[in-house]
Amino acid sequence: MKKIDYKDKGSILNPLKNLQFFARKPVTEILQPRPASASYRGFHINDLDKCIGCSSCQKICDNAAITMVEIPSIEEDASKGLRNLRPAIDYGRCCWCALCVDICPTGAIEMSREYVHTCDGDETDSYFILPQETGIHGLTFEKGWTKTADSDLLDRKRRPMGEMLPAARIDNFDEIVDGFTLEMAVAEASRCVDCGLCEDACPAPMHAPNYIRSIYEGNLEQAVQWMYETNPFSHVCGRVCTHICETACSLGHGDSDPIAIRWLKRYAMDNVSKTKIKQIARKGKARKKSGKSIAVVGAGPAGLTAAFDLVKKGHKVTVYESLPKAGGMTRYGIPNYRLPEDRLDQDIEVIQSVGVEINYNIKVGVDISMAQLQKDNDAVIMAIGMQNGRSTRIPGSDHKAVVKAVDLLRMIPKGDKFRVPKSAVVIGGGNVAMDIARSLARLQKQKYGKVNITVTALEQLGKTFLADDEEVTESREEGIEILDCRGPRACEIDDKGKLKGLHSVKVISIFDEQGRFAPKYDESDAQFHSAEMVIEAIGQMSDVSILGDDLTEQLEWNRGRIKINENGATSVAWLWSAGDMVKGPDVINAVADGHRVATDIDQYLQN
Ligand SMILES: Cc1cc2nc3c(=O)[nH]c(=O)nc-3n(C[C@H](O)[C@H](O)[C@H](O)COP(=O)(O)OP(=O)(O)OC[C@H]3O[C@@H](n4cnc5c(N)ncnc54)[C@H](O)[C@@H]3O)c2cc1C
Ligand code: SF4
Ligand code: SF4
């Protein structure tokens, strides 16, 4: 080996030679990254407006590379399924598998062809980055890996629901919807990505992701247990819920169908025995009695939910109901072809089996006073709904053949006799208008063999119409004529005092510039709709006269409704109010209200 001689020679001026480099051009070349291939999995791009914050990307990431970060400037709206969370990616963990891209329901997150990222020193945070529409560096790069039909991990189409055809359903009140089979239910449940947006949106809130998972696993009793944690009206909601959850469902954003959450609920409820459901409903019931008693006025969803919760907490609850059966508008408003009576009966039976006592045919304010209820109990809940129909007050609307939709709908399940009109005009374009039109259509078909019903509504079909699209479609299939943009002007009565029909005019606009209801009409575009009966379906109100003068005086009011705080407590210490009479507008909100007042009363009674 050659020996190195450390004792060097050379001049001590040698280092000065380095000065020559100052005059030279730098030899460092700026890196020009080579273009990546078209499906390259580079840094992420996220369209922050398209992203709904569902967290599916975070959940699927096996490397835990994604953290959902709150962005306060982004608007949140649980009812629309919008969270203000956005995925930030830890590129120290990301393995570029693109599962986040392939699961994203909205197609917000994709990958670019950008792959160079440098940072100074030990800036570890600079690897944890929130991708935006322009990637992670704000530079414009071509797209790399984007989802394809093959790589998409979502099953985007819901299992179609079988329905009775119009010809088979028009002369009877049999339930229209068939319901899922086991195979369909499992397949539908398997589409869920467990994002929880549905639960955020549900007022109760029902634990939909949990019961959907239980259905997928074939454990229907567990599914029903999840339902009974927050909803003793699960049969009812499995059929007629307004399914705010489905509006929020992450799969409903973009071009896929939301999970059929309502039909899955119905499937589980229909396939667990009543005995088992009663056992499930009793779970968590207090063993010790509290010695306190509560009176509930009204056996609708709000009153009965509150009663169910309070009985389970050990209190004695007595419900007073003016009608012969419980359920409120779910029995005396919603027609049987949407909600069969036996399903509602089962929800009520389960509630009663837990210990709720219902006294029927007792009208509070008439058969027993509010003062008496106060005297006999520690707390009182008013949940009387909105039983009285509103009137248009147009000329002739006080004629006996001009009736309110809710009054007529109530007569059908009660079995009250009335003369079915050969022709009828319904005023109103909401779901209640469709319910009465479709119920009368069935009665007309049974009695006269044909349907002659016209619905006239202020709102415009396909734009501002209030009834659900499927209600409009099915009504038309059943032979009902729907006239939009028509305003009622007068009911015509002939010389002999007989109703001849309704005059209507074209609607130009419904609201004024301040958004107030102030319809404007084109009087030159007038029509006459001949009818033996005119039905007003333009809204309902509560009959608060039952409170009596003293209590009415003591209570604080808000635009004709009893004023309540966020827990449903009124300004009178012993009185709470829930459901349609203070809030509305549907069963699931009434159920949520019932829970709220029950929790508040329970706390009040413990003090
Ligand atoms: C025709 C129609 C169709 C509907 N369809 C749907 C639907 O598809 N989906 C949906 O989610 N919601 C629907 N709704 C709304 C839903 O039915 C109500 O939001 C819900 O029933 C409200 O519950 P509640 O307990 O507040 O009142 P209610 O259900 O109205 O119950 C109140 C109860 O109080 C009783 N009562 C009243 N006064 C007294 C008194 N003085 N003494 C004793 N008892 C009294 C009444 O008889 C009634 O039983 C519909 C409503 C109507 C009218
Ligand atoms: S999966 Fe898509 S929509 Fe959901 S949070 Fe991630 S990027 Fe946003
Ligand atoms: S049902 Fe829809 S919103 Fe609910 S967890 Fe599943 S995918 Fe998400």
Side-chain angles (χ1 to χ4, degrees), residues 240 298 300-302 321-323 328-329 338 364 387 435 579-580 585-587:
V240 299
E321 170 56 51
S322 58
L323 291 167
M329 280 302 181
R338 290 206 290 125
V364 173
Q387 312 304 316
D435 281 343
D580 273 8
D586 51 18
V587 176

Side-chain angles (χ1 to χ4, degrees), residues 57-225:
C57 47
Q58 181 198 31
K59 284 200 172 144
I60 202 167
C61 181
D62 270 345
N63 295 334
I66 300 184
T67 304
M68 298 305 290
V69 179
E70 193 179 338
I71 317 260
S73 58
I74 293 178
E75 198 197 338
E76 263 202 310
D77 187 342
S79 66
K80 292 188 185 141
L82 300 175
R83 289 185 186 137
N84 66 356
L85 304 173
R86 294 295 178 267
I89 304 189
D90 181 345
Y91 286 105
R93 285 174 166 266
C94 177
C95 70
W96 321 93
C97 65
L99 283 175
C100 50
V101 176
D102 294 340
I103 193 75
C104 178
T106 63
I109 202 161
E110 291 173 314
M111 283 173 146
S112 70
R113 299 189 207 171
E114 184 183 15
Y115 59 84
V116 176
H117 176 67
T118 55
C119 59
D120 296 333
D122 55 356
E123 295 173 69
T124 47
D125 278 356
S126 83
Y127 287 99
F128 181 65
I129 306 173
L130 185 100
Q132 312 210 359
E133 224 180 325
T134 47
I136 65 166
H137 295 122
L139 302 171
T140 308
F141 267 85
E142 280 183 291
K143 279 187 185 173
W145 180 262
T146 54
K147 195 196 301 232
T148 64
D150 283 344
S151 71
D152 192 355
L153 295 170
L154 299 171
D155 178 357
R156 293 189 173 267
K157 291 287 157 216
R158 66 163 60 176
R159 299 295 163 272
M161 173 59 75
E163 257 193 39
M164 261 165 105
L165 292 172
R169 68 183 191 235
I170 185 58
D171 62 355
N172 59 73
F173 283 79
D174 294 349
E175 186 171 23
I176 294 178
V177 171
D178 293 343
F180 280 152
T181 59
L182 166 68
E183 201 184 12
M184 288 159 87
V186 171
E188 185 63 19
S190 75
R191 298 176 57 227
C192 172
V193 293
D194 194 20
C195 67
L197 288 179
C198 48
E199 191 164 348
D200 291 358
C202 177
M206 291 199 76
H207 307 307
N210 301 44
Y211 67 69
I212 292 172
R213 195 180 319 113
S214 299
I215 293 170
Y216 174 68
E217 290 165 358
N219 191 345
L220 298 186
E221 287 178 9
Q222 178 62 59
V224 170
Q225 203 161 311

Side-chain angles (χ1 to χ4, degrees), residues 209-255:
N210 301 44
Y211 67 69
I212 292 172
R213 195 180 319 113
S214 299
I215 293 170
Y216 174 68
E217 290 165 358
N219 191 345
L220 298 186
E221 287 178 9
Q222 178 62 59
V224 170
Q225 203 161 311
W226 282 117
M227 291 172 199
Y228 265 82
E229 287 217 349
T230 51
N231 192 352
F233 278 87
S234 286
H235 263 311
V236 169
C237 286
R239 272 153 167 107
V240 299
C241 187
T242 46
H243 53 76
I244 309 159
C245 51
E246 293 182 20
T247 311
C249 175
S250 60
L251 265 86
H253 295 260
D255 58 357

